[in-house]
Amino acid sequence: MKKNSLALTFLGAAGTVTGSKTLVNYNDTKVLVDCGLFQGVKSLRTKNWEDLEDALEVSEVILTHAHLDHCGYLPRFVKQGFKGFIHCTPITAQLIRIILLDSAKIQEEDAERANRKKYSKHEKAEPLYTAEDVHQTLKQVVTHEFHEWVVPGPDLRFTFIQNGHIPGSAMVELHAGEKRLVFSGDLGRLKPLIMPKPKPLPNADILILESTYGNRLHSVISPFDQIEKAVNQGFKNQGQILIPSFAVERTQEILYILLCLIRDKKIPTLKIYLDSPMATAVTDVLLSFYDFLKDPELRSVMNRQLEVVSDYRASQTVVAMDKCKIVIAGSGMVTGGRILHHLEAHISKPSTVVILPGFQALGTRGNDLASGVPDIKFFGKYYKVKAHIVQLDSLSAHADREELIEWVKNTGQLPDRIILNHGEETASHSLKLKIEYELGVPVLVATPNMHYVIDF
Ligand SMILES: [Zn+2]
């Protein structure tokens, strides 16, 4: 009788947190779990230009969620010849349409700028992919509800299970013959603010677990208290309250907190301007798929206080308004987007409050602001930073070290082995030691292109 063969290859998110791609090779079937873009430092970003070997041999992509580091390589993969299905949940399908089209627009604008300024080392700078590539990619998407089993090959099946990270996100339970694998995807918080809680870990022989916060704990300071204090300070000085934000999940979380604070009369009834077309589109998807504003009082506060800023001209009008107001605009790390115009106009006023609602990567303006730089550059000119900067410590869509261990511990039967991916090396290795000590399960840390053969 022919023996079964099963192997995993970690093509991305190994030793780092971006570029998620894990190839599952079961007998003659190859499926790819996630197809993410590498982001951050240049040495990682250049990997996006390398072709994925076997593009034509992969029969399906299984997508855990709509963040770019998990889905952003898809149009490039399709361009290389991938013709199979892209499986995801219905909300993920809606979100990747918005996110991939935005990503293509940025790629096209970057290439266009490089050609105009002639700073590309290549003859002619090309975008990694275009909107046309994204439209082709979207044609290959098929959606599945949570817990629906899908059979991509003989003796191979998988299902999506709610994992609480962002709307539509899922862990993947995959059965290859008698072997049971679980890919955690990015695991959400155990006590989330607006997301449903992650479902328990199903029984698995092997767990592929993310480790973004493998060596850290989230702060216990309440984001409600921090935002309340910051908004009240801005109101006292009749200044601008500016919140750079990520379009998916973070904007809706911030909105939820602001609406709760207004409902509970903890902050004044200020107008909230949502000045981000992408965040507005995502908020609409979320409100139609699952209502994160179930409380009718919150809905009516939103209807009264929220103003969606439609186009660029309207955005300029809001920038010029001097009255005290709250603005939520992209991008989350102040690297681009409409927030730049608001900051350019108001960063040098001591009455302005800037709330940074999450992690700010090194080299971004958000990181500079968080670390207290005296001046900052917008559109080729330096501006003095006189605004009060508040960094929120506790908003995160990822489980921290304790939550990851807690989630694994509460399964029916511990896995035989855990493989850690999606973490910086120090985070993954620290979590490995802790899991081995606390749970007694052997742990392997994935390295780039690691090939792991599973014995039957
Ligand atoms: Zn994610």
Side-chain angles (χ1 to χ4, degrees):
M1 204 178 87
K2 190 173 168 268
K3 257 187 89 187
N4 286 319
S5 71
L6 176 61
L8 303 176
T9 312
F10 293 84
L11 300 170
T16 182
V17 291
T18 64
S20 273
K21 290 177 207 81
T22 308
L23 186 69
V24 180
N25 194 343
Y26 178 61
N27 296 338
D28 294 323
T29 311
K30 285 182 180 175
V31 299
L32 192 63
V33 178
D34 283 334
C35 192
L37 203 64
F38 284 102
Q39 295 168 294
V41 292
K42 197 164 179 206
S43 57
L44 280 175
R45 282 183 284 123
T46 49
K47 284 178 172 224
N48 293 324
W49 292 92
E50 292 166 14
D51 278 0
L52 261 200
E53 255 178 75
D54 311 331
L56 297 169
E57 285 174 34
V58 170
S59 62
E60 344 256 323
V61 171
I62 305 170
L63 199 60
T64 62
H65 67 290
H67 275 150
L68 262 194
D69 62 321
H70 292 256
C71 72
Y73 189 77
L74 276 170
R76 184 79 192 167
F77 194 40
V78 167
K79 217 172 157 177
Q80 282 166 44
F82 169 68
K83 294 213 162 26
F85 288 130
I86 298 161
H87 302 274
C88 62
T89 64
I91 304 184
T92 299
Q94 294 278 333
L95 294 179
I96 61 170
R97 169 179 293 277
I98 300 166
I99 284 170
L100 291 179
L101 283 172
D102 181 72
S103 173
K105 193 171 148 230
I106 293 170
Q107 307 282 352
E108 289 177 275
E109 283 171 359
D110 283 354
E112 194 264 329
R113 197 176 310 118
N115 286 326
R116 197 161 16 96
K117 298 195 172 168
K118 300 208 181 334
Y119 59 61
S120 169
K121 290 188 196 78
H122 308 281
E123 284 287 292
K124 185 171 183 286
E126 297 282 344
L128 192 61
Y129 48 79
T130 62
E132 207 180 311
D133 299 319
V134 173
H135 287 298
Q136 180 52 46
T137 304
L138 295 172
K139 286 184 195 156
Q140 291 169 235
V141 170
V142 279
T143 63
H144 310 280
E145 299 297 336
F146 291 122
H147 305 294
E148 178 186 329
W149 283 94
V150 188
V151 182
D155 225 9
L156 185 69
R157 61 191 192 126
F158 72 87
T159 189
F160 291 116
I161 302 170
Q162 163 76 255
N163 77 348
H165 173 57
I166 62 165
S169 73
M171 62 185 109
V172 175
E173 180 177 358
L174 183 142
H175 294 182
E178 75 239 31
K179 288 287 173 196
R180 299 161 306 172
L181 274 61
V182 171
F183 296 81
S184 70
D186 288 0
L187 190 70
R189 307 293 298 274
L190 298 192
K191 288 189 187 127
L193 210 55
I194 58 169
M195 288 293 304
K197 268 176 71 148
K199 295 278 183 211
L201 167 63
N203 290 344
D205 299 303
I206 295 172
L207 166 65
I208 295 89
L209 178 65
E210 71 124 322
S211 52
T212 316
Y213 284 87
N215 57 350
R216 278 177 291 168
L217 297 178
H218 294 311
S219 158
V220 291
I221 303 171
S222 154
F224 286 84
D225 293 348
Q226 277 188 298
I227 294 182
E228 178 187 334
K229 218 173 133 199
V231 171
N232 283 329
Q233 184 185 343
F235 180 70
K236 201 174 102 199
N237 298 324
Q238 285 298 296
Q240 307 296 313
I241 298 141
L242 307 178
I243 311 179
S245 186
F246 304 102
V248 184
E249 202 255 351
R250 189 55 43 86
T251 288
Q252 294 76 32
E253 234 170 17
I254 293 285
L255 198 55
Y256 173 78
I257 294 174
L258 288 168
L259 299 177
C260 287
L261 291 172
I262 293 177
R263 177 197 61 192
D264 301 341
K265 302 192 169 40
K266 299 266 177 79
I267 59 172
T269 49
L270 290 168
K271 274 271 177 240
I272 304 167
Y273 292 89
L274 183 54
D275 192 5
S276 159
M278 183 152 83
T280 304
V282 171
T283 306
D284 285 345
V285 170
L286 300 205
L287 286 171
S288 65
F289 270 89
Y290 79 76
D291 193 356
F292 68 97
L293 300 173
K294 287 180 198 73
D295 176 354
E297 258 195 89
L298 285 185
R299 273 281 187 163
S300 70
V301 177
M302 183 175 83
N303 294 340
R304 277 197 314 271
Q305 302 307 126
L306 185 69
E307 293 250 346
V308 170
V309 184
S310 51
D311 54 18
Y312 184 72
R313 188 188 281 253
S315 173
Q316 290 299 309
T317 311
V318 177
V319 168
M321 278 178 199
D322 237 1
K323 65 168 189 182
C324 177
K325 60 182 189 281
I326 300 172
V327 177
I328 306 174
S331 70
M333 296 192 196
V334 203
T335 49
R338 294 189 187 169
I339 194 71
L340 295 186
H341 299 280
H342 293 276
L343 288 169
E344 184 195 20
H346 303 293
I347 194 84
S348 300
K349 299 176 185 165
S351 59
T352 300
V353 175
V354 180
I355 303 176
L356 300 168
F359 173 74
Q360 303 292 325
L362 208 64
T364 62
R365 286 194 196 86
N367 187 280
D368 276 357
L369 287 174
S371 55
V373 289
D375 46 23
I376 195 153
K377 200 172 166 194
F378 297 107
F379 312 117
K381 203 177 146 200
Y382 274 94
Y383 293 82
K384 284 210 173 339
V385 179
K386 291 273 168 71
H388 179 63
I389 313 290
V390 179
Q391 166 130 48
L392 302 184
D393 311 300
S394 54
L395 285 183
S396 171
H398 286 269
D400 68 9
R401 174 182 172 95
E402 261 173 22
E403 289 170 314
L404 287 166
I405 292 175
E406 187 68 23
W407 181 71
V408 176
K409 200 159 54 181
N410 283 330
T411 177
Q413 177 201 334
L414 285 171
D416 294 337
R417 176 175 283 283
I418 294 174
I419 303 176
L420 297 179
N421 69 348
H422 205 286
E424 300 298 342
E425 245 177 274
T426 44
S428 305
H429 281 279
S430 169
L431 186 64
K432 166 187 157 77
L433 294 178
K434 183 81 172 170
I435 291 177
E436 287 179 339
Y437 174 79
E438 273 206 19
L439 307 180
V441 177
V443 178
L444 191 68
V445 175
T447 50
N449 299 314
M450 181 177 91
H451 187 67
Y452 181 76
V453 178
I454 296 158
D455 291 326
F456 274 82

